[in-house]
């Protein structure tokens, strides 16, 4: 059989598995898998360096399906090449607890590198993979020992390129010269609403060439052309490459190919029968000939590749034993053995030193102390580094130094955050990213995706309240803390002084399966006195900072810059004979995870007189103060004025806290 026909038959295996699974589920997107089948066959069988027998092999190529609605494409590829994805798994497409959910999900399916759903974020993750590979290689590879050496490939569609995030990350990828990054663009001209000529007429080639990419245009159904383009992309090592593949959506379907009707709905039994005839496909649904599986099997080649790499790594270990040990530690996600003790010593020193300081400055102090202990800490800011204070003493931008440890992201909050997700997923780094809390809104969906994937990413957000002052309500966050705190699996810290700031950083670094949002102030905050037990209890998310004098009558709960107000109110109330305590709650999510006995010790259920104070939207705090309690905070947007005037204008004052407690007692 001629090679081209043989390759077409192997590609047709993807097509039939995809439309059969979508039809059985009565849900899904058959068009993209059918249209990209020829591209996928070439990449996965000829070029992709992976081992289905060990999906987590360190030096594998990374593959990302950014147009994740076409998930049956990757599930078919995983099944055909030998991953632990069975025919029964394909039959369970989009069903509860199956290995084949509607969009690729990290942790459900072996071989899935990232969760792609919202269009565009997959390519941003891919940029993160490529950054991590390039930087890790520069840090660890030595002459004759290319231990870190792999490509990152991504499939994407028109929707990915229409999303604004694609401009952010592809521009940066060109600037960084990510030569091992290769994108395949499914240029089929169709989205769910129909022919994209009505709303997407960009010159994509010119756009990417302007970014500094190599661009190659091919017929996406010509295996030889795709092969040549992929070879050229791999050969180019100073620029990322975009292979524009002109394809037909739903290719093979006599009546639906090239039409929006094949995009997001099953083909239907009658059309599937016609498509089988058009493809000369005789097998029943989900049945393939042995010769198909033999031609697709990737285990033999993958095992040999990994075996060769293992031998190279053994040689590397002998030549560079310390580097090898460090690389394995970082790829495994383990912290240095002495990190915890040194971190705890730093927290205690911070408490002993005292001193009033803006928590953004306390954060920078923490980074300067912790980063030398953690070479894997990869910083970055969406501009504003001089304001959010995320540059550390030995920061080296990867733009100038490939083995660096800091990324100047430019004004790209969304792209930055989604890239950080990819860096974390790759392994070898703990990324942190930074901007003003208000601009978290630009990055919101990427923050959510990192939480969904349970990745260790640290989001640093400064200028956390109306306390930033004269910039006004466009820059003053009000509802953002509530948004972050109600995001599942995300831990949001708002420390009140340098000690809590140091503790927040340490806990975020140790939090292997939770991203963290660290919220810091612009204005100076007073240092709080604590004993050793109180310092230790910071890690529990909430603790008694000031104990009542006499019988407990009321509780003040606060975070961040408002803890100082709470403590001032405590002093006055205590002098007036009111038995009040102050609870600092830097991380409400962690506090809520504590056992009932601890939570009761901090917030006794029988004390209904509770006041929460925070310069953010009040609604969140009713879960802690109850309907009988009061919350002092924001219900509107801020204003442009000095911070001290704003706190008075919106009634976030010591006097207001005192009055609220007295009214309840």
């Amino acid at each position: 059989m001629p090679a081209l026909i043989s390759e077409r038959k192997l590609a047709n295996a993807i097509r039939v598995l995809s439309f059969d699974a979508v039809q059985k589920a009565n849900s899904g997107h058959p068009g993209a898998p059918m249209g990209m089948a020829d591209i996928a066959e070439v990449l996965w069988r000829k070029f992709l360096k992976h081992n289905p027998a060990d999906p987590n092999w360190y030096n594998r190529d990374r593959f990302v399906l950014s147009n994740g609605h076409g998930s049956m494409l990757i599930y078919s590829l995983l099944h055909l090449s030998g991953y632990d994805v069975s025919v029964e798994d394909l039959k369970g497409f989009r069903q509860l607890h199956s290995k084949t959910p509607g969009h690729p999900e990290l942790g459900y399916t072996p071989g899935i590198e990232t969760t792609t759903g919202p269009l565009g974020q997959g390519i941003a993750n891919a940029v993160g993979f490529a950054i991590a590979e390039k930087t890790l290689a520069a840090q660890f590879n030595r002459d004759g020992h290319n231990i870190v050496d792999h490509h990152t490939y991504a499939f994407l569609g028109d929707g990915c390129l229409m999303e604004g995030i694609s401009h952010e990350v592809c521009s940066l990828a060109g600037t960084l010269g990510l030569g091992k990054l290769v994108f395949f663009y499914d240029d089929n001209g169709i989205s769910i609403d129909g022919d994209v000529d009505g709303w997407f007429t960009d010159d994509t080639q010119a756009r990417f060439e302007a970014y500094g990419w190599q661009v190659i245009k091919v017929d996406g159904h010509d295996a030889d052309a795709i092969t040549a383009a992929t070879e050229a992309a791999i050969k180019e090592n100073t620029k990322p490459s975009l292979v524009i593949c002109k394809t037909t959506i739903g290719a093979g379907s006599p009546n639906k190919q090239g039409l929006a009707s094949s995009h997001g709905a099953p083909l239907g039994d009658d059309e599937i029968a016609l498509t089988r005839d058009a493809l000369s496909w005789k097998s029943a649904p989900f049945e393939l000939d042995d010769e198909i599986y033999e031609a697709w099997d990737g285990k033999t080649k993958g095992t040999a590749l990994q075996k060769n790499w293992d031998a190279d790594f053994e040689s590397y270990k002998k030549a560079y034993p310390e580097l090898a040990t460090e690389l394995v530690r970082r790829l495994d996600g383990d912290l240095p053995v002495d990190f915890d003790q040194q971190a705890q010593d730093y927290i205690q020193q911070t408490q002993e030193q005292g001193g009033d300081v803006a928590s953004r400055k306390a954060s920078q102090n923490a980074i300067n102390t912790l980063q030398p202990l953690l070479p894997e800490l990869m910083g970055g800011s969406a501009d504003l580094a001089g304001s959010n204070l995320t540059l550390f003493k030995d920061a080296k931008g990867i733009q100038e130094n490939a083995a660096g440890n800091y990324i100047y992201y430019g004004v790209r909050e969304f792209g930055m955050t989604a890239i950080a997700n990819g860096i974390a997923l790759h392994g070898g780094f703990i990324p942190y990213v930074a901007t003003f809390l208000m601009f978290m809104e630009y990055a919101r969906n990427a923050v959510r995706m990192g939480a969904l994937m349970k990745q260790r990413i640290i989001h640093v957000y400064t200028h956390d309240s109306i306390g930033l002052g004269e910039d006004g309500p466009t820059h003053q966050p009000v509802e953002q803390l509530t948004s972050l705190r109600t995001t599942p699996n995300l831990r949001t810290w708002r420390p009140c002084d340098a000690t809590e700031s140091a503790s927040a950083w340490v806990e975020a670094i140790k939090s292997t399966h939770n991203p963290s949002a660290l919220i810091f102030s612009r204005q100076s905050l007073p240092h709080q006195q604590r004993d050793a037990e109180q310092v230790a209890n910071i890690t529990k998310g909430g603790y008694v900072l000031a104990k009542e004098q006499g019988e407990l009558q009321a509780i003040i709960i606060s975070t961040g810059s408002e803890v100082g107000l709470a403590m001032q109110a405590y002093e006055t109330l205590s002098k007036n004979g009111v038995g009040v305590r102050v609870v600092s709650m830097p991380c409400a999510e962690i506090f809520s995870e504590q056992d009932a006995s601890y939570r009761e010790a901090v917030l006794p259920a029988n004390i209904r007189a509770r006041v929460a104070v925070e310069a953010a939207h009040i609604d969140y705090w009713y879960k802690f103060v109850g309907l009988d309690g009061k919350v002092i905070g924001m219900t509107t947007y801020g204003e442009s004025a000095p911070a001290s005037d704003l706190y008075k204008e919106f009634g976030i004052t010591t006097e207001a806290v005192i009055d609220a407690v007295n009214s309840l007692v």
Side-chain angles (χ1 to χ4, degrees):
M1 186 180 296
L4 182 59
I5 297 176
S6 175
E7 288 194 90
R8 180 60 54 82
K9 183 176 181 179
L10 296 173
N12 285 343
I14 298 171
R15 293 186 169 97
V16 295
L17 285 175
S18 297
F19 65 61
D20 280 343
V22 170
Q23 188 65 33
K24 187 175 188 306
N26 196 29
S27 175
H29 299 72
M34 296 173 71
M36 297 195 80
D38 299 300
I39 308 166
E41 183 273 328
V42 169
L43 177 63
W44 277 63
R45 291 188 62 252
K46 294 183 179 180
F47 296 100
L48 193 70
K49 184 172 65 176
H50 65 125
N51 185 7
D54 184 1
N56 297 316
W57 170 38
Y58 290 147
N59 204 43
R60 68 191 182 278
D61 289 336
R62 296 335 192 242
F63 175 79
V64 177
L65 184 69
S66 185
N67 46 344
H69 54 269
S71 54
M72 267 311 304
L73 173 62
I74 194 167
Y75 298 148
S76 298
L77 289 165
L78 294 170
H79 169 71
L80 288 165
S81 56
Y83 286 81
D84 184 18
V85 179
S86 68
V87 168
E88 292 305 311
D89 293 325
L90 300 185
K91 291 179 179 179
F93 179 54
R94 288 190 165 223
Q95 305 309 301
L96 185 64
H97 301 314
S98 77
K99 283 185 180 179
T100 51
H103 289 76
E105 299 277 352
L106 184 73
Y108 283 74
T109 321
I112 297 297
E113 301 285 1
T114 181
T115 298
T116 53
L119 292 176
Q121 286 199 62
I123 58 177
N125 297 162
V127 172
F129 284 132
I131 289 173
E133 189 277 338
K134 182 177 181 178
T135 307
L136 203 66
Q139 291 178 357
F140 284 94
N141 287 353
R142 295 296 183 268
D143 289 344
H145 296 279
N146 290 327
I147 297 304
V148 180
D149 181 17
H150 63 78
H151 282 74
T152 299
Y153 300 100
F155 283 3
L156 56 138
D158 293 301
C160 294
L161 292 181
M162 281 186 264
E163 291 286 357
I165 191 173
S166 70
H167 297 263
E168 295 183 23
V169 303
C170 295
S171 168
L172 184 61
T175 298
L176 294 177
L178 301 178
K180 290 186 177 178
L181 180 66
V182 182
F183 286 175
F184 293 86
Y185 165 35
D186 181 25
D187 182 16
N188 61 46
I190 296 293
S191 67
I192 287 179
D193 280 353
D195 191 327
V196 301
D197 281 346
W199 48 85
F200 184 53
T201 57
D202 298 14
D203 185 338
T204 299
Q205 178 174 350
R207 170 186 162 188
F208 274 77
E209 287 174 344
Y211 290 154
W213 288 54
Q214 172 182 235
V215 180
I216 306 167
K217 299 183 78 170
V218 298
D219 177 349
H221 301 296
D222 182 336
D224 289 340
I226 299 165
T227 298
T230 307
E231 289 171 342
I234 292 171
K235 185 177 180 180
E236 172 56 69
N237 57 20
T238 63
K239 298 178 180 180
S241 295
L242 176 70
V243 182
I244 300 176
C245 303
K246 192 63 182 175
T247 62
T248 301
I249 193 170
S253 169
N255 298 305
K256 294 192 176 183
Q257 62 183 359
L259 302 176
S261 57
S262 71
H263 189 298
L267 297 181
D269 290 331
D270 291 343
E271 186 64 18
I272 283 178
L274 293 173
T275 304
R276 275 189 150 76
D277 287 342
L279 299 177
S280 299
W281 201 269
K282 307 302 182 184
S283 301
F286 300 105
E287 292 184 7
L288 300 177
D289 295 338
D290 289 344
E291 65 177 10
I292 296 289
Y293 283 114
E294 290 172 4
W296 263 106
D297 178 58
K299 287 184 178 179
T300 301
K301 179 181 176 182
T303 299
L305 286 169
Q306 184 170 353
K307 185 177 180 181
N308 289 338
W309 182 85
D310 288 341
D312 291 342
F313 190 66
E314 287 300 316
S315 175
Y316 178 77
K317 283 198 294 186
K318 292 176 182 177
Y320 304 99
E322 292 182 359
L323 275 178
T325 300
E326 177 71 356
L327 177 60
V328 170
R329 177 191 71 77
R330 285 174 55 173
L331 290 173
D332 286 346
D334 297 331
L335 297 176
V337 291
D338 57 349
F339 173 79
D340 194 54
Q341 184 58 57
Q342 293 190 67
Q344 296 309 314
D345 290 345
Y346 170 65
I347 293 169
Q348 188 58 44
Q349 291 168 9
T350 302
Q351 178 61 35
E352 293 170 357
Q353 289 170 357
D356 298 354
V357 64
S359 55
R360 63 171 174 165
K361 180 59 180 176
S363 168
Q364 186 179 49
N365 293 340
I367 299 171
N368 278 326
T369 300
L370 299 173
Q371 196 281 330
L373 309 178
L374 291 169
E376 62 263 45
L377 200 60
M378 171 73 84
S381 179
D383 211 54
L384 300 174
S387 293
N388 57 44
L389 302 185
T390 47
L391 275 172
F392 48 93
K393 293 175 183 175
D394 295 319
K396 300 179 181 66
I398 64 170
Q399 285 87 337
E400 296 81 27
N401 185 337
N405 50 22
Y406 193 87
I407 302 172
Y408 292 89
Y409 283 102
V411 187
R412 298 181 175 98
E413 294 88 357
F414 190 8
M416 168 185 73
T417 308
I419 286 171
N421 289 343
I423 292 172
L425 288 161
H426 178 278
F429 295 98
I430 301 173
Y432 73 80
V433 292
T435 186
F436 289 2
L437 178 55
M438 188 64 248
F439 305 145
M440 176 278 297
E441 294 289 357
Y442 282 132
R444 182 74 185 90
N445 202 277
V447 174
R448 182 179 188 270
M449 295 302 286
L452 186 64
M453 293 188 283
K454 302 180 180 179
Q455 293 302 297
R456 178 164 49 184
I457 301 147
I458 303 171
H459 307 282
V460 179
Y461 298 129
T462 64
H463 297 62
D464 66 343
S465 71
I466 58 172
L468 73 88
E470 293 84 348
D471 277 339
T474 61
H475 284 52
Q476 294 167 5
V478 172
E479 71 276 27
Q480 285 65 40
L481 279 168
T482 296
S483 176
L484 291 169
R485 286 171 176 150
T486 55
T487 301
N489 205 50
L490 177 68
R491 292 176 169 175
T492 302
W493 290 84
R494 188 170 185 251
C496 76
D497 66 359
T499 304
E500 285 191 1
S501 298
S503 295
W505 262 106
V506 171
E507 291 306 302
I509 288 168
K510 292 166 61 177
S511 184
T512 56
H513 295 92
N514 303 84
S516 301
L518 309 185
I519 316 299
F520 299 117
S521 72
R522 177 192 185 189
Q523 67 271 38
S524 182
L525 306 181
H527 175 71
Q528 302 299 333
Q529 295 300 318
R530 300 174 184 83
D531 59 27
E533 182 179 6
Q534 287 173 310
V535 172
N537 283 341
I538 294 172
T539 64
K540 296 181 179 178
Y543 63 101
V544 178
L545 178 61
K547 188 172 176 57
E548 64 277 4
Q549 298 176 18
E551 181 182 355
L552 179 60
Q553 296 174 276
I555 303 171
I556 304 172
I557 308 169
S558 192
T559 79
S561 50
E562 288 67 63
V563 170
L565 297 179
M567 290 298 292
Q568 291 172 1
Y570 167 84
E571 295 294 337
T572 299
L573 289 164
S574 296
K575 288 178 182 178
N576 292 337
V578 179
V580 63
R581 70 169 52 169
V582 174
V583 171
S584 178
M585 195 173 290
C587 186
E589 300 91 338
I590 292 180
F591 177 76
S592 298
E593 294 170 0
Q594 302 306 305
D595 59 54
S597 62
Y598 179 78
R599 286 183 280 117
E600 173 66 17
V602 175
L603 298 175
N606 66 313
I607 303 301
R608 306 286 291 273
R610 300 181 181 186
V611 175
V613 54
E614 184 178 64
H617 201 282
I618 65 174
D619 282 3
Y620 178 82
W621 289 102
Y622 285 104
K623 66 186 288 184
F624 290 106
V625 304
L627 297 179
D628 297 333
K630 292 189 175 182
V631 183
I632 296 171
M634 299 293 293
T635 58
T636 67
Y637 296 115
E639 294 286 349
S640 178
S644 57
D645 293 344
L646 291 173
Y647 273 83
K648 292 176 184 177
E649 172 70 16
F650 292 104
I652 306 173
T653 64
T654 301
E655 293 75 20
V657 178
I658 293 170
D659 290 344
V661 172
N662 283 331
S663 71
L664 295 173
V665 172

